[in-house]
Protein backbone atom coordinates (compact mmCIF):
# COMPACT_ATOMS: atom_id res chain seq x y z
CA UNK A 1 0.00 0.00 0.00
CA UNK A 2 1.32 3.44 -0.96
CA UNK A 3 2.85 5.52 1.82
CA UNK A 4 1.20 8.80 2.73
CA UNK A 5 2.52 12.22 3.70
CA UNK A 6 0.87 14.02 6.62
CA UNK A 7 1.09 17.57 7.86
CA UNK A 8 2.49 17.50 11.40
CA UNK A 9 3.58 19.97 14.07
CA UNK A 10 7.02 19.31 15.57
CA UNK A 11 10.49 20.63 16.35
CA UNK A 12 14.12 19.83 15.58
CA UNK A 13 15.63 19.99 19.05
CA UNK A 14 14.47 20.28 22.64
CA UNK A 15 13.56 23.76 23.82
CA UNK A 16 12.06 25.81 26.61
CA UNK A 17 9.30 28.27 25.85
CA UNK A 18 11.40 31.27 26.87
CA UNK A 19 13.90 30.46 24.13
CA UNK A 20 13.62 31.85 20.61
CA UNK A 21 12.40 28.56 19.21
CA UNK A 22 8.91 27.33 18.49
CA UNK A 23 6.91 24.52 16.95
CA UNK A 24 7.00 24.30 13.17
CA UNK A 25 4.90 22.61 10.52
CA UNK A 26 6.42 19.66 8.65
CA UNK A 27 5.54 17.18 5.95
CA UNK A 28 6.06 13.73 7.51
CA UNK A 29 6.21 10.49 5.52
CA UNK A 30 4.10 8.02 7.52
CA UNK A 31 5.24 4.40 7.90
CA UNK A 32 3.80 1.76 5.60
CA UNK A 33 0.75 -0.02 6.96
CA UNK A 34 1.59 -3.40 8.44
CA UNK A 35 -0.93 -6.20 8.94
CA UNK A 36 -2.45 -4.88 12.18
CA UNK A 37 -2.04 -1.16 11.46
CA UNK A 38 -4.68 1.49 10.93
CA UNK A 39 -4.36 4.94 9.42
CA UNK A 40 -6.30 7.40 11.51
CA UNK A 41 -7.32 10.96 10.66
CA UNK A 42 -6.81 12.76 13.96
CA UNK A 43 -9.86 14.63 15.31
CA UNK A 44 -8.75 15.58 18.84
CA UNK A 45 -5.74 14.96 21.07
CA UNK A 46 -4.82 15.38 24.70
CA UNK A 47 -1.92 17.56 25.85
CA UNK A 48 -0.55 17.52 29.41
CA UNK A 49 2.53 17.99 31.56
CA UNK A 50 4.00 14.85 29.97
CA UNK A 51 4.14 16.63 26.60
CA UNK A 52 5.76 19.76 27.97
CA UNK A 53 8.44 17.87 29.88
CA UNK A 54 9.37 15.64 26.94
CA UNK A 55 9.61 18.73 24.71
CA UNK A 56 12.29 20.13 27.04
CA UNK A 57 14.35 16.93 27.34
CA UNK A 58 13.93 14.77 24.22
CA UNK A 59 16.97 13.82 22.19
CA UNK A 60 17.95 11.28 19.58
CA UNK A 61 17.85 10.70 15.83
CA UNK A 62 14.07 10.80 15.30
CA UNK A 63 13.72 14.28 13.80
CA UNK A 64 11.54 16.17 13.54
CA UNK A 65 10.06 15.25 16.90
CA UNK A 66 6.28 14.93 16.69
CA UNK A 67 4.75 14.54 20.14
CA UNK A 68 1.28 13.32 21.05
CA UNK A 69 0.32 10.12 22.83
CA UNK A 70 -3.31 9.50 22.07
CA UNK A 71 -6.69 10.87 21.19
CA UNK A 72 -9.70 10.39 18.95
CA UNK A 73 -9.80 9.95 15.19
CA UNK A 74 -11.47 8.34 12.17
CA UNK A 75 -10.12 5.19 10.51
CA UNK A 76 -9.27 5.96 6.86
CA UNK A 77 -7.21 2.87 5.90
CA UNK A 78 -6.59 -0.59 7.30
CA UNK A 79 -3.60 -2.90 6.88
CA UNK A 80 -5.95 -5.88 6.99
CA UNK A 81 -9.50 -6.69 8.01
CA UNK A 82 -10.38 -6.36 11.67
CA UNK A 83 -13.48 -8.04 13.17
CA UNK A 84 -13.96 -5.13 15.60
CA UNK A 85 -13.33 -2.15 13.33
CA UNK A 86 -14.09 -0.71 9.90
CA UNK A 87 -13.03 2.25 7.78
CA UNK A 88 -15.06 5.25 8.93
CA UNK A 89 -15.23 4.20 12.59
CA UNK A 90 -14.53 6.86 15.19
CA UNK A 91 -11.96 5.43 17.57
CA UNK A 92 -10.06 6.12 20.79
CA UNK A 93 -6.38 5.24 21.02
CA UNK A 94 -3.14 5.61 22.95
CA UNK A 95 0.28 5.38 21.32
CA UNK A 96 3.94 5.31 22.25
CA UNK A 97 6.49 8.12 22.25
CA UNK A 98 8.31 8.64 18.95
CA UNK A 99 8.62 10.39 15.63
CA UNK A 100 5.07 9.71 14.48
CA UNK A 101 3.02 11.22 17.28
CA UNK A 102 -0.49 12.63 17.40
CA UNK A 103 0.47 16.25 16.64
CA UNK A 104 -0.38 15.32 13.06
CA UNK A 105 -3.35 15.23 10.70
CA UNK A 106 -2.89 11.49 10.21
CA UNK A 107 -1.26 8.77 12.28
CA UNK A 108 -0.48 5.06 11.97
CA UNK A 109 -1.49 3.03 15.04
CA UNK A 110 -1.73 -0.64 15.93
CA UNK A 111 -5.38 -1.60 15.48
CA UNK A 112 -5.18 -4.19 18.25
CA UNK A 113 -4.93 -1.36 20.79
CA UNK A 114 -7.78 0.74 19.37
CA UNK A 115 -11.40 0.81 20.56
CA UNK A 116 -14.47 2.07 18.76
CA UNK A 117 -15.93 5.14 20.43
CA UNK A 118 -19.67 5.11 21.17
CA UNK A 119 -21.68 7.88 19.54
CA UNK A 120 -22.69 9.33 22.92
CA UNK A 121 -19.07 9.74 24.11
CA UNK A 122 -18.09 13.32 23.16
CA UNK A 123 -14.90 13.57 21.12
CA UNK A 124 -13.23 16.16 23.35
CA UNK A 125 -14.07 14.33 26.58
CA UNK A 126 -12.72 11.03 25.25
CA UNK A 127 -9.52 12.65 23.96
CA UNK A 128 -8.96 14.27 27.35
CA UNK A 129 -8.95 10.89 29.08
CA UNK A 130 -6.92 8.83 26.54
CA UNK A 131 -3.42 8.34 27.94
CA UNK A 132 -4.16 9.97 31.33
CA UNK A 133 -6.65 7.20 32.09
CA UNK A 134 -4.22 4.61 30.73
CA UNK A 135 -1.43 5.84 33.03
CA UNK A 136 -3.80 6.22 35.99
CA UNK A 137 -4.97 2.60 35.68
CA UNK A 138 -1.39 1.35 35.63
CA UNK A 139 -0.49 3.45 38.68
CA UNK A 140 -3.50 2.54 40.82
CA UNK A 141 -3.92 -1.14 39.97
CA UNK A 142 -0.54 -2.41 38.80
CA UNK A 143 1.97 -0.25 40.66
CA UNK A 144 0.01 -0.12 43.94
CA UNK A 145 -1.28 -3.66 43.51
CA UNK A 146 -4.98 -2.94 44.04
CA UNK A 147 -7.81 -5.09 42.71
CA UNK A 148 -9.30 -3.45 39.57
CA UNK A 149 -12.88 -4.02 40.61
CA UNK A 150 -15.48 -1.63 42.02
CA UNK A 151 -15.43 -1.22 45.81
CA UNK A 152 -13.15 -4.24 46.29
CA UNK A 153 -10.39 -2.32 48.10
CA UNK A 154 -10.09 -0.39 51.32
CA UNK A 155 -7.72 2.14 52.84
CA UNK A 156 -6.70 5.74 52.26
CA UNK A 157 -4.74 7.13 49.32
CA UNK A 158 -2.90 10.43 49.69
CA UNK A 159 -2.09 12.17 46.39
CA UNK A 160 0.51 14.93 46.56
CA UNK A 161 0.53 17.79 44.04
CA UNK A 162 -2.81 16.97 42.44
CA UNK A 163 -3.58 19.30 39.54
CA UNK A 164 -3.73 17.75 36.07
CA UNK A 165 -5.78 15.19 34.18
CA UNK A 166 -3.65 12.32 35.43
CA UNK A 167 -4.32 13.28 39.04
CA UNK A 168 -8.04 13.64 38.31
CA UNK A 169 -8.11 10.19 36.69
CA UNK A 170 -6.26 8.63 39.63
CA UNK A 171 -8.78 10.13 42.06
CA UNK A 172 -11.72 8.72 40.13
CA UNK A 173 -10.26 5.24 39.70
CA UNK A 174 -9.20 5.05 43.35
CA UNK A 175 -12.70 6.03 44.49
CA UNK A 176 -14.25 3.50 42.08
CA UNK A 177 -11.98 0.83 43.59
CA UNK A 178 -13.17 1.66 47.13
CA UNK A 179 -10.42 3.86 48.59
CA UNK A 180 -10.72 7.06 50.56
CA UNK A 181 -8.81 9.78 48.70
CA UNK A 182 -7.04 12.82 50.13
CA UNK A 183 -5.53 15.22 47.59
CA UNK A 184 -3.14 18.09 48.17
CA UNK A 185 -2.89 21.23 46.02
CA UNK A 186 -0.85 24.42 46.08
CA UNK A 187 -2.37 27.87 46.53
CA UNK A 188 -2.94 28.35 42.80
CA UNK A 189 -4.92 25.16 42.17
CA UNK A 190 -8.69 24.87 42.16
CA UNK A 191 -9.97 23.08 45.27
CA UNK A 192 -13.48 22.98 43.78
CA UNK A 193 -12.28 21.06 40.69
CA UNK A 194 -10.35 18.48 42.73
CA UNK A 195 -13.33 17.92 45.03
CA UNK A 196 -15.57 17.51 41.98
CA UNK A 197 -13.29 14.70 40.81
CA UNK A 198 -14.27 12.83 43.99
CA UNK A 199 -11.58 13.57 46.57
CA UNK A 200 -12.87 13.09 50.14
CA UNK A 201 -10.55 15.77 51.47
CA UNK A 202 -8.44 18.49 49.82
CA UNK A 203 -5.52 19.97 51.75
CA UNK A 204 -3.01 22.71 51.09
CA UNK A 205 0.38 21.38 50.06
CA UNK A 206 2.03 23.86 52.43
CA UNK A 207 0.27 22.54 55.53
CA UNK A 208 1.59 19.93 57.97
CA UNK A 209 -0.22 17.06 56.29
CA UNK A 210 0.09 14.41 59.00
CA UNK A 211 -1.49 16.74 61.54
CA UNK A 212 -4.19 17.94 59.13
CA UNK A 213 -5.12 14.36 58.28
CA UNK A 214 -5.40 13.38 61.91
CA UNK A 215 -7.59 16.43 62.64
CA UNK A 216 -9.84 15.43 59.72
CA UNK A 217 -10.32 11.91 61.11
CA UNK A 218 -7.84 10.01 58.94
CA UNK A 219 -5.87 7.97 61.46
CA UNK A 220 -3.58 6.41 58.85
CA UNK A 221 -2.56 6.57 55.20
CA UNK A 222 -2.06 3.33 53.28
CA UNK A 223 -0.86 4.65 49.93
CA UNK A 224 0.92 7.82 48.80
CA UNK A 225 1.44 9.00 45.21
CA UNK A 226 3.66 12.02 44.60
CA UNK A 227 2.75 13.58 41.24
CA UNK A 228 5.45 16.26 41.22
CA UNK A 229 8.91 14.78 41.54
CA UNK A 230 10.61 17.65 39.72
CA UNK A 231 10.83 19.77 42.85
CA UNK A 232 12.88 18.73 45.88
CA UNK A 233 10.33 20.44 48.12
CA UNK A 234 7.67 17.97 47.00
CA UNK A 235 9.41 15.23 49.01
CA UNK A 236 9.19 17.00 52.38
CA UNK A 237 5.98 15.26 53.45
CA UNK A 238 7.00 11.70 52.58
CA UNK A 239 8.95 10.97 55.77
CA UNK A 240 5.74 11.29 57.80
CA UNK A 241 4.17 8.34 55.96
CA UNK A 242 7.02 6.02 54.98
CA UNK A 243 6.66 3.78 58.05
CA UNK A 244 3.13 2.65 57.16
CA UNK A 245 2.31 3.62 53.58
CA UNK A 246 3.22 2.23 50.18
CA UNK A 247 4.81 5.28 48.51
CA UNK A 248 4.97 5.78 44.74
CA UNK A 249 7.00 8.54 43.08
CA UNK A 250 5.62 9.34 39.64
CA UNK A 251 8.04 10.75 37.06
CA UNK A 252 6.71 11.98 33.72
CA UNK A 253 10.09 11.49 32.08
CA UNK A 254 13.14 9.36 32.83
CA UNK A 255 16.14 11.49 33.58
CA UNK A 256 18.98 11.04 36.04
CA UNK A 257 18.17 12.38 39.46
CA UNK A 258 19.05 11.82 43.07
CA UNK A 259 16.92 9.12 44.64
CA UNK A 260 15.28 10.29 47.85
CA UNK A 261 15.01 6.80 49.32
CA UNK A 262 15.46 3.37 47.81
CA UNK A 263 12.35 2.10 49.59
CA UNK A 264 10.06 4.25 47.46
CA UNK A 265 8.55 2.85 44.30
CA UNK A 266 9.31 4.80 41.10
CA UNK A 267 7.12 4.93 38.00
CA UNK A 268 8.17 6.58 34.72
CA UNK A 269 5.29 7.54 32.40
CA UNK A 270 7.45 7.98 29.30
CA UNK A 271 9.09 4.57 29.69
CA UNK A 272 5.78 2.86 30.39
CA UNK A 273 4.16 4.23 27.23
CA UNK A 274 7.14 3.07 25.18
CA UNK A 275 7.21 -0.41 26.72
CA UNK A 276 3.44 -0.92 26.51
CA UNK A 277 3.48 -1.07 22.71
CA UNK A 278 6.59 -3.24 22.38
CA UNK A 279 4.74 -6.54 22.82
CA UNK A 280 1.40 -8.12 21.94
CA UNK A 281 0.61 -8.47 25.64
CA UNK A 282 1.17 -4.74 26.20
CA UNK A 283 -0.95 -3.84 23.18
CA UNK A 284 -3.78 -6.08 24.40
CA UNK A 285 -3.46 -4.56 27.88
CA UNK A 286 -3.84 -1.03 26.51
CA UNK A 287 -7.02 -1.96 24.61
CA UNK A 288 -8.60 -3.52 27.69
CA UNK A 289 -7.97 -0.36 29.69
CA UNK A 290 -9.58 1.75 26.96
CA UNK A 291 -12.55 -0.62 27.00
CA UNK A 292 -12.87 -0.05 30.76
CA UNK A 293 -12.75 3.70 30.18
CA UNK A 294 -15.66 3.49 27.77
CA UNK A 295 -17.59 1.17 30.11
CA UNK A 296 -17.20 3.53 33.07
CA UNK A 297 -18.23 6.53 30.96
CA UNK A 298 -21.36 4.76 29.69
CA UNK A 299 -22.24 3.79 33.27
CA UNK A 300 -21.82 7.47 34.24
CA UNK A 301 -19.09 6.59 36.73
CA UNK A 302 -16.57 9.09 35.34
CA UNK A 303 -16.53 12.88 35.36
CA UNK A 304 -14.94 15.00 32.69
CA UNK A 305 -11.27 15.89 33.25
CA UNK A 306 -11.22 18.45 30.43
CA UNK A 307 -9.92 21.82 31.68
CA UNK A 308 -9.41 23.75 28.41
CA UNK A 309 -9.83 23.39 24.67
CA UNK A 310 -8.13 24.96 21.66
CA UNK A 311 -9.27 24.63 18.06
CA UNK A 312 -6.97 24.05 15.10
CA UNK A 313 -3.72 22.13 14.59
CA UNK A 314 -1.18 24.89 14.03
CA UNK A 315 2.29 25.67 15.34
CA UNK A 316 0.84 28.71 17.12
CA UNK A 317 -1.86 26.70 18.90
CA UNK A 318 0.53 23.96 20.02
CA UNK A 319 2.90 26.59 21.40
CA UNK A 320 -0.04 28.26 23.15
CA UNK A 321 -1.19 24.95 24.62
CA UNK A 322 2.24 24.19 26.05
CA UNK A 323 2.50 27.73 27.42
CA UNK A 324 -0.92 27.48 29.07
CA UNK A 325 -0.01 24.17 30.73
CA UNK A 326 3.33 25.45 32.02
CA UNK A 327 2.12 28.84 33.25
CA UNK A 328 -1.38 28.19 34.57
CA UNK A 329 -1.71 25.50 37.28
CA UNK A 330 -5.42 25.12 36.61
CA UNK A 331 -4.91 24.26 32.94
CA UNK A 332 -2.35 21.49 33.04
CA UNK A 333 -4.46 19.25 30.90
CA UNK A 334 -6.28 20.29 27.73
CA UNK A 335 -7.56 19.11 24.39
CA UNK A 336 -6.67 20.38 20.93
CA UNK A 337 -9.34 19.90 18.24
CA UNK A 338 -8.16 19.35 14.68
Amino acid sequence: MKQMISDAIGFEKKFRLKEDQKFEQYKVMLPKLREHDLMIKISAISISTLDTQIRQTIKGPKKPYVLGFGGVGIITRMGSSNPRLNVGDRVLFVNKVGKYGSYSNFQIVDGRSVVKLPTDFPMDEAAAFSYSFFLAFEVVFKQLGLDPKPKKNSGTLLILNTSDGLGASIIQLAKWAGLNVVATINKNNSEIWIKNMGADLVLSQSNHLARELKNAGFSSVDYVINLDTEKEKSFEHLADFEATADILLLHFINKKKKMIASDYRNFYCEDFLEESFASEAGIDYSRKIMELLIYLWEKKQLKSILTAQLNGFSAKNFYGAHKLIENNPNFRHLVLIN
Side-chain angles (χ1 to χ4, degrees), residues 133 136-137 140-142 144-155 170-180 223 288-289 292 295-296 301:
F133 187 90
F137 184 95
V140 173
F141 298 114
K142 296 296 184 178
L144 295 184
L146 299 178
D147 188 356
K149 295 178 182 177
K151 306 303 179 185
K152 291 296 184 179
N153 304 269
S154 60
I170 289 174
I171 290 172
Q172 295 191 62
L173 280 176
K175 289 298 299 178
W176 174 75
L179 297 184
N180 297 312
Y223 309 95
K288 289 179 178 178
I289 296 175
L292 175 63
Y295 172 81
L296 292 178
Q301 295 181 27

Side-chain angles (χ1 to χ4, degrees), residues 8-26 55-56 64-67 103 314-323 326:
I9 305 298
F11 52 95
E12 292 290 332
K13 61 180 181 179
K14 63 183 180 180
F15 69 98
R16 297 181 183 275
L17 297 183
K18 64 181 180 180
E19 299 171 356
D20 187 22
Q21 185 178 351
K22 299 183 179 180
F23 290 97
E24 297 180 6
Q25 184 165 324
Y26 296 88
R55 188 203 73 239
Q56 297 175 61
Y65 300 115
V66 180
L67 300 177
Y103 291 17
S314 67
K316 180 180 178 181
N317 277 348
F318 278 101
Y319 187 90
H322 279 240
K323 186 175 182 180
E326 289 188 15

Side-chain angles (χ1 to χ4, degrees), residues 129 151 155-159 162-185 190-203 218 300-305:
F129 275 112
K151 306 303 179 185
T156 297
L157 167 64
L158 171 64
I159 309 174
T162 316
S163 64
D164 65 1
L166 176 56
S169 298
I170 289 174
I171 290 172
Q172 295 191 62
L173 280 176
K175 289 298 299 178
W176 174 75
L179 297 184
N180 297 312
V181 177
V182 178
T184 73
I185 57 175
S190 171
E191 179 178 351
I192 294 175
W193 189 69
I194 297 299
K195 281 187 175 179
N196 186 53
M197 292 299 103
D200 298 286
L201 178 66
V202 179
L203 299 175
F218 291 89
K300 303 187 185 304
Q301 295 181 27
L302 287 177
K303 296 182 179 179
S304 170
I305 63 171

